[in-house]
Amino acid sequence: MSPVLRVMGVDPGLTRCGVGVVDVARDRSARIVHVGVVRSAADLPASERLHIIAEGLREVVREFGPAAIAVERVFAQQNLSTVMGTAQASGVALLIAAENGIPAATHTPSEVKAAITGYGSAEKLQVQTMVARVLRLDALPQPADAADALALALCHAWRGGPQPARGGEADEMTPAQRAWRNAERSTRR
Amino acid sequence: MSPVLRVMGVDPGLTRCGVGVVDVARDRSARIVHVGVVRSAADLPASERLHIIAEGLREVVREFGPAAIAVERVFAQQNLSTVMGTAQASGVALLIAAENGIPAATHTPSEVKAAITGYGSAEKLQVQTMVARVLRLDALPQPADAADALALALCHAWRGGPQPARGGEADEMTPAQRAWRNAERSTRR
């Protein structure tokens, strides 16, 4: 059997934080391991909301033991009313990766779209449709945050992801990821 | 002796995260308990940097046991190249408060300036000078992040801070904080 990379994707947010875990084989085939959303109520203090998100993410890490965590990269230009909470949640997701010794990477929305559909300006529905097809799901994953988390995890495995310069897990991932990345480059550029 | 509120202030950042702890009495007099800066190297992965910041903040919480944590509120309009890292660090600081059952609040830079100097558009140097005077320091606290953290902690104690609707620590704080807030309102408005 070919080596399998288990990746956890996180679409950060305070109200809904999407989480998806996929197993991706060297031949780029993938299966879904887990998908869900961690929610926190808007009337709680920010610190409590971040604590709820952190505990939800830690539970997924403990239960499924991902070898890598991919978090959507947040930009200052996004929706001003929510971007700070989104950035705070992404910080918590990255912290949890480091606390568990799991390499983490961030990917932009257009990197995810390009990795999943072949071009960076794809519509959300096209991304979701492709995610459902790749993972052989009967329906589009819902809500959108959960679908985005799965797309992020697939993107990370397929792109190889930025390699943190560390031993251990990173070394184990490198051969498969490098192979996938090279295959990507030869077909897409 | 009048009741004393121990407040930890955090000026969030990845490269330098300022931390200050002060004891503030009901008569608004204050003394410095701790001041420092947690640093992380810019060439480390973001997740490692956040982990270093988190461990540094946890150490201060463990050693000095603050009853409240005040974090500078980050705005999307700030310096675009660093604002996302700053927001992520603020999320980590708020998470650590909740993990330790400590009420947390955020204050804007102009709230801090107004609480310390009497007006919201004060220069940084005026704030630092007033912080040094209030805490009877021989010199201005350095670097600026450390001074800002002390100012935040003083601001939180003097303003009373937004009260999270919770039992325990919040209840203990309320009488003194309410008295200070009322005194503030009667003199400033």
Side-chain angles (χ1 to χ4, degrees), chain A residues 17-31:
Chain A
C17 183
V19 194
V21 182
V22 296
D23 280 347
V24 183
R26 198 165 181 164
D27 66 3
R28 295 174 56 97
S29 66
R31 76 174 189 93

Side-chain angles (χ1 to χ4, degrees), chain A residues 113-161:
Chain A
K113 287 173 179 175
I116 303 294
T117 70
Y119 55 104
S121 55
E123 298 291 330
K124 257 190 179 303
L125 183 62
Q126 293 176 286
V127 176
Q128 291 174 23
T129 304
M130 188 61 85
V131 166
R133 190 176 304 165
V134 167
L135 297 175
R136 291 176 301 282
L137 307 177
D138 292 333
L140 298 188
Q142 293 289 342
D145 316 77
D148 287 347
L150 291 171
L152 262 162
L154 287 172
C155 163
H156 183 75
W158 287 350
R159 281 171 56 97

Side-chain angles (χ1 to χ4, degrees), chain B residues 3-76:
Chain B
V4 164
L5 183 70
R6 177 163 291 185
V7 182
M8 173 170 158
V10 178
D11 183 30
L14 286 182
T15 301
R16 287 184 308 276
C17 183
V19 194
V21 183
V22 296
D23 280 347
V24 183
R26 199 165 181 164
D27 65 4
R28 295 174 56 98
S29 67
R31 75 173 189 93
I32 189 168
V33 175
H34 170 80
V35 65
V37 172
V38 186
R39 296 168 198 271
S40 80
D43 57 353
L44 291 176
S47 60
E48 297 297 328
R49 301 186 76 181
L50 290 163
H51 194 198
I52 290 167
I53 302 296
E55 287 303 297
L57 296 180
R58 284 176 177 139
E59 202 177 310
V60 175
V61 169
R62 269 194 307 268
E63 186 162 353
F64 301 106
I69 296 183
V71 182
E72 185 170 303
R73 188 158 164 201
V74 185
F75 288 99

Side-chain angles (χ1 to χ4, degrees), chain B:
Chain B
M1 201 189 130
S2 68
V4 164
L5 183 70
R6 177 163 291 185
V7 182
M8 173 170 158
V10 178
D11 183 30
L14 286 182
T15 301
R16 287 184 308 276
C17 183
V19 194
V21 183
V22 296
D23 280 347
V24 183
R26 199 165 181 164
D27 65 4
R28 295 174 56 98
S29 67
R31 75 173 189 93
I32 189 168
V33 175
H34 170 80
V35 65
V37 172
V38 186
R39 296 168 198 271
S40 80
D43 57 353
L44 291 176
S47 60
E48 297 297 328
R49 301 186 76 181
L50 290 163
H51 194 198
I52 290 167
I53 302 296
E55 287 303 297
L57 296 180
R58 284 176 177 139
E59 202 177 310
V60 175
V61 169
R62 269 194 307 268
E63 186 162 353
F64 301 106
I69 296 183
V71 182
E72 185 170 303
R73 188 158 164 201
V74 185
F75 288 99
Q77 293 84 347
Q78 286 172 240
N79 183 343
L80 281 187
S81 67
T82 58
V83 67
M84 287 298 122
T86 306
Q88 290 175 332
S90 78
V92 163
L94 291 170
L95 171 66
I96 287 167
E99 284 180 347
N100 288 276
I102 301 170
T106 57
H107 300 285
T108 67
S110 41
E111 284 169 351
V112 174
K113 289 173 178 174
I116 303 294
T117 70
Y119 55 105
S121 55
E123 298 292 331
K124 257 190 179 305
L125 183 62
Q126 293 176 284
V127 177
Q128 291 174 21
T129 305
M130 187 60 85
V131 166
R133 190 175 304 165
V134 167
L135 297 174
R136 293 176 300 283
L137 307 178
D138 293 332
L140 298 189
Q142 294 289 343
D145 316 79
D148 287 348
L150 290 172
L152 263 162
L154 287 172
C155 164
H156 183 76
W158 288 349
R159 283 171 55 96
Q163 292 301 313
R166 312 199 312 179
E169 313 87 346
D171 286 342
E172 282 166 36
M173 293 192 332
T174 305
Q177 290 197 301
R178 192 179 296 134
W180 297 335
R181 191 172 47 198
N182 291 345
E184 282 263 314
R185 283 179 176 159
S186 62
T187 57
R188 294 264 161 85
R189 288 193 185 169

Side-chain angles (χ1 to χ4, degrees), chain A residues 105-121:
Chain A
T106 57
H107 299 285
T108 67
S110 41
E111 284 170 351
V112 174
K113 287 173 179 175
I116 303 294
T117 70
Y119 55 104
S121 55

